[in-house]
Amino acid sequence: MAIVKNEASATATPQMADPGPVTFPSQAWFEALVAVMRDNVARYKQLGYADCVMQFTVTDGDAGKPWSIRLTFDTYDVTGITLASATREDISDFAFEAPLCVWKAVIENTAKNHGRPDHEFTLNYLSMREPQFTVAAEDQLRRDYLFRYKQTMQQLINDSHHLKTEFRQ
Amino acid sequence: MGVDVTVDKLKPLPGDTPSNAAALDKYERDFQSHGQVWGEILQKNFERLSAGSYSLQWMNGEANGWGSQKPKISSRGLTYNDINRVKGSGEIDEVVSWKSFAPRGSIREPYKNMMPVLENYDVLHKYDVWSDNVMPLYEEAVARQWSATRDIPWDDVNGLPEDLAKASCQLSTFLTEVEFAAGDFPAKWLYRIPQDFLEVKSFMATQIMDEARHQEVFRKRALMGGGLMHATPGFEWALKSILDAPNHVMGTFLLNLLGEGLVLSIFRSGEMIAKTHADKEIFRLCMQDEARHVSYGVLQFKYFLDNHPNRAQAEEELHRFADLGEQIIMTAFSEATVNEPVAILLGGGLKNIDKGMEGLGKLWTVFIEEYLQRCDRAGFDRRARCTIPMQLPWGGSVAA
């Protein structure tokens, strides 16, 4: 599918079929997000490739219990989206961990600003607000992956503004 | 037509022009001292060409198995990793003996006695330069290049109140000052590392390019925001100390692991406290470059320690160096031109500088913990000997 604006726009609108409302957190939500990413591949190519395995964890996302999903970044794509143990898995390089209220605020703010979230809702800002938002990693070298691929990760979150997100209560 | 010459338009006469004659004399003498080799090469080739014959000896590739193997292209293209799987291409000696430009894996042995010896190639041990992530880091650096001219929304930086505008410009001035030293260090060592460590040299070249771009982007940021501000003597001494480090490993520790680790933290803080989208973009883009340099530093340090023939001695010498290095970096960060603009930006304005300094105090603890964790990852336990306090040395707030 083609991009409506220029080929590498940070906020371009993908011409994908409307998947309808998707619930966060869910595997379907992340699959829809990766579909947007693939439509916007020119932007990701411009940013450069990312190679890491990371987890999104909603610490109270499963009826008050932790919910987690693992994404495998390979070059300009996400080649794996699998539900993961909410306890940190050693296969992951790093994990974002936050309660649903934080994720909800991030996704809503990103949507409201059409893919350009306010300062206090960017991944980096949040990563410096522990313990509200935690970047967990086995060691600092793996944690540094986040900083190496920050633009790609932020772009992925920014692309969530194309989704109609509903939130699990 | 008359010439319009008036006294005020006269220019002073040129002063003494520096002469290159002495350097040229030496160059000529050096050339003459190798006259026999030059002569032999020219005579041999001239005689063959005059006889109307071709050599075609270079078409014999059997000595290194030409045509017997082809690299397999991976999903991202043809990487160093891919080509190093070809036999003869990827083997890297623990101690390099080739001090010429001849490519590793080429047929070079027959020509050894005819080649110049580059005596400045004196970093010969693999453990002094290698890191196990250097190839992917190089590829990643090439893939994640960006442009300070094109990729920053420069029209977005204006409109800040004077205190925040000045703080942004001071921070940018400081970072402009820092960045080229971070390029000079790999540049200083690049020409001392032999060609056989081509992957390391390639990565170092990307680091030099990254630092050039960082210098460019912060200079542009300062000038777009009002102008360059004050230089920082404390950091000048720190930067000189990096350049003067006794060897490549120690300098890499001080620059890539400790110094750039803290600069990475500044970039993360900068992104967090940025007041404009342009500033956020600048810090994010610089952050990803800096994180590569830090990652090289951590695993280079680890490779050195893991492969040094006398680890205990190497570790103790590195501790001695780190004792100084930590004091060097702490002294540099005590400068008002560094921590005060950060505190003003953190606090949201000059009137909140105390609040900002408290915030900086919290970040400081995070910075030092991350530094110690990077040392842990490298197998270098600094926790018992670290000379930088976990708490901000000058307290959470400072009386005005």
Side-chain angles (χ1 to χ4, degrees):
Chain A
M1 293 176 215
I3 296 293
V4 172
K5 290 187 188 175
N6 68 65
E7 285 210 321
S9 167
T11 54
T13 304
Q15 289 184 324
M16 57 183 288
D18 182 357
V22 279
T23 301
F24 182 92
S26 69
Q27 184 160 349
W29 191 87
F30 281 94
E31 286 169 351
L33 184 60
V34 169
V36 176
M37 176 190 184
R38 287 173 182 157
D39 272 4
N40 201 6
V41 69
R43 171 64 177 162
Y44 288 89
K45 283 189 175 178
Q46 185 191 49
L47 292 175
Y49 58 65
D51 290 305
C52 62
V53 181
M54 54 86 63
Q55 279 181 233
F56 286 90
T57 297
V58 185
T59 52
D60 55 355
D62 182 11
K65 290 185 288 187
W67 180 94
S68 193
I69 197 158
R70 190 164 60 232
L71 272 61
T72 303
F73 284 81
D74 183 353
T75 327
Y76 309 111
D77 196 9
V78 171
T79 56
I81 308 170
T82 54
L83 289 172
S85 163
T87 55
R88 284 167 209 159
E89 299 204 355
D90 59 4
I91 197 168
S92 295
D93 291 311
F94 63 90
F96 294 129
E97 298 175 346
L100 183 58
C101 62
V102 171
W103 287 116
K104 186 169 185 276
V106 169
I107 292 165
E108 287 181 341
N109 185 271
T110 304
K112 186 184 84 178
N113 289 298
H114 310 289
R116 291 182 86 180
D118 290 326
H119 296 161
E120 60 269 36
F121 295 97
T122 64
L123 291 174
N124 181 67
Y125 186 97
L126 291 162
S127 74
M128 301 188 81
R129 287 287 182 217
E130 291 187 354
Q132 186 189 28
F133 186 101
T134 304
V135 181
E138 191 180 313
D139 60 47
Q140 191 59 39
L141 195 72
R142 287 172 181 236
R143 188 180 157 91
D144 286 344
Y145 274 109
L146 167 62
F147 311 122
R148 278 159 60 183
Y149 303 135
K150 176 63 70 60
Q151 284 288 81
T152 301
M153 300 295 155
Q154 188 63 56
Q155 183 65 47
L156 185 72
I157 295 295
N158 292 356
D159 278 345
S160 72
H161 83 97
H162 295 296
L163 305 179
K164 287 178 187 155
T165 303
E166 291 178 341
F167 294 93
R168 198 183 287 175
Q169 295 302 310
Chain B
M1 184 187 277
V3 180
D4 182 18
V5 177
T6 58
V7 172
D8 62 307
K9 289 183 178 170
L10 289 175
K11 293 178 181 171
L13 292 170
D16 288 343
T17 307
S19 172
N20 294 313
L24 189 54
D25 287 347
K26 179 180 182 305
Y27 191 81
E28 284 172 341
R29 283 196 305 275
D30 289 347
F31 179 83
Q32 296 302 337
S33 71
H34 297 112
Q36 188 180 346
V37 179
W38 286 101
E40 285 173 4
I41 291 172
L42 182 61
Q43 188 177 358
K44 177 183 70 176
N45 292 333
F46 188 77
E47 285 174 359
R48 189 187 65 251
L49 290 164
S50 298
S53 66
Y54 296 109
S55 161
L56 298 181
Q57 170 256 3
W58 55 266
M59 291 194 79
N60 183 355
E62 283 177 17
N64 69 350
W66 186 91
S68 61
Q69 289 185 79
K70 196 173 177 184
K72 193 176 173 189
I73 301 169
S74 61
S75 61
R76 67 212 56 211
L78 188 62
T79 65
Y80 265 148
N81 214 21
D82 299 327
I83 62 168
N84 274 2
R85 291 199 182 95
V86 172
K87 194 180 175 194
S89 169
E91 291 87 6
I92 305 165
D93 292 338
E94 294 301 321
V95 184
V96 164
S97 57
W98 278 92
K99 291 184 169 186
S100 74
F101 301 106
R104 193 181 74 215
S106 66
I107 301 170
R108 57 187 182 180
E109 197 67 40
Y111 314 107
K112 192 170 187 176
N113 294 334
M114 299 187 75
M115 287 185 182
V117 176
L118 301 169
E119 295 297 349
N120 48 357
Y121 283 170
D122 59 359
V123 183
L124 305 178
H125 286 89
K126 188 179 175 187
Y127 60 65
D128 277 328
V129 295
W130 190 257
S131 77
D132 284 338
N133 59 358
V134 73
M135 286 190 285
L137 284 174
Y138 168 72
E139 302 284 353
E140 189 177 309
V142 171
R144 296 188 82 88
Q145 292 294 302
W146 51 278
S147 161
T149 300
R150 182 195 62 205
D151 295 333
I152 308 298
W154 286 114
D155 53 0
D156 184 47
V157 299
N158 296 316
L160 291 174
E162 186 180 338
D163 53 351
L164 294 177
K166 283 185 172 172
S168 296
C169 287
Q170 177 57 51
L171 183 59
S172 297
T173 304
F174 152 68
L175 289 168
T176 304
E177 195 171 7
V178 167
E179 294 293 346
F180 249 149
D184 282 349
F185 175 80
K188 172 184 170 177
W189 287 95
L190 189 58
Y191 92 115
R192 294 178 60 175
I193 295 173
Q195 301 286 330
D196 276 16
F197 297 132
L198 59 103
E199 296 87 349
V200 175
K201 288 172 80 80
S202 299
F203 174 74
M204 291 170 86
T206 68
Q207 182 170 339
I208 294 166
M209 181 62 221
D210 291 344
E211 306 299 3
R213 191 174 49 244
H214 295 180
Q215 177 275 143
E216 174 198 0
V217 79
F218 288 114
R219 187 175 183 82
K220 287 178 174 175
R221 172 62 185 88
L223 288 164
M224 276 297 287
L228 288 156
M229 298 191 74
H230 293 261
T232 305
F235 245 96
E236 293 281 330
W237 284 104
L239 299 173
K240 185 176 183 307
S241 300
I242 291 170
L243 292 182
D244 291 345
N247 60 38
H248 180 256
V249 173
M250 290 180 182
T252 299
F253 167 80
L254 190 52
L255 175 66
N256 291 54
L257 197 152
L258 177 52
E260 296 210 66
L262 289 176
V263 171
L264 173 60
S265 300
I266 290 181
F267 289 163
R268 289 171 58 203
S269 309
E271 203 263 9
M272 185 181 79
I273 60 185
K275 306 302 176 194
T276 68
H277 282 293
D279 286 323
K280 276 204 170 292
E281 199 68 16
I282 290 169
F283 284 115
R284 265 186 221 144
L285 288 164
C286 290
M287 192 190 308
Q288 66 179 23
D289 299 341
E290 214 73 0
R292 284 194 301 274
H293 310 161
V294 173
S295 293
Y296 168 73
V298 172
L299 287 197
Q300 204 285 302
F301 208 55
K302 179 173 166 49
Y303 192 91
F304 173 78
L305 289 172
D306 288 350
N307 292 278
H308 195 280
N310 186 343
R311 179 171 180 136
Q313 179 194 314
E315 241 181 83
E316 185 48 38
E317 287 175 357
L318 288 168
H319 276 302
R320 272 180 63 195
F321 182 74
D323 290 344
L324 288 178
E326 288 166 357
Q327 293 306 303
I328 286 165
I329 296 297
M330 193 178 73
T331 304
F333 275 88
S334 71
E335 285 277 47
T337 43
V338 182
N339 56 52
E340 288 181 6
V342 173
I344 289 171
L345 290 166
L346 265 173
L350 180 57
K351 66 180 188 309
N352 294 325
I353 188 170
D354 276 352
K355 189 179 157 198
M357 201 58 87
E358 282 175 27
L360 186 56
K362 290 176 187 163
L363 293 174
W364 178 268
T365 305
V366 175
F367 300 163
I368 303 307
E369 179 56 30
E370 288 185 348
Y371 158 62
L372 292 172
Q373 285 185 26
R374 289 189 183 104
C375 289
D376 291 344
R377 183 64 178 81
F380 184 58
D381 184 3
R382 274 300 287 175
R383 289 182 184 276
R385 287 184 64 161
C386 182
T387 62
I388 306 183
M390 288 297 286
Q391 306 299 323
L392 198 62
W394 45 95
S397 64
V398 180

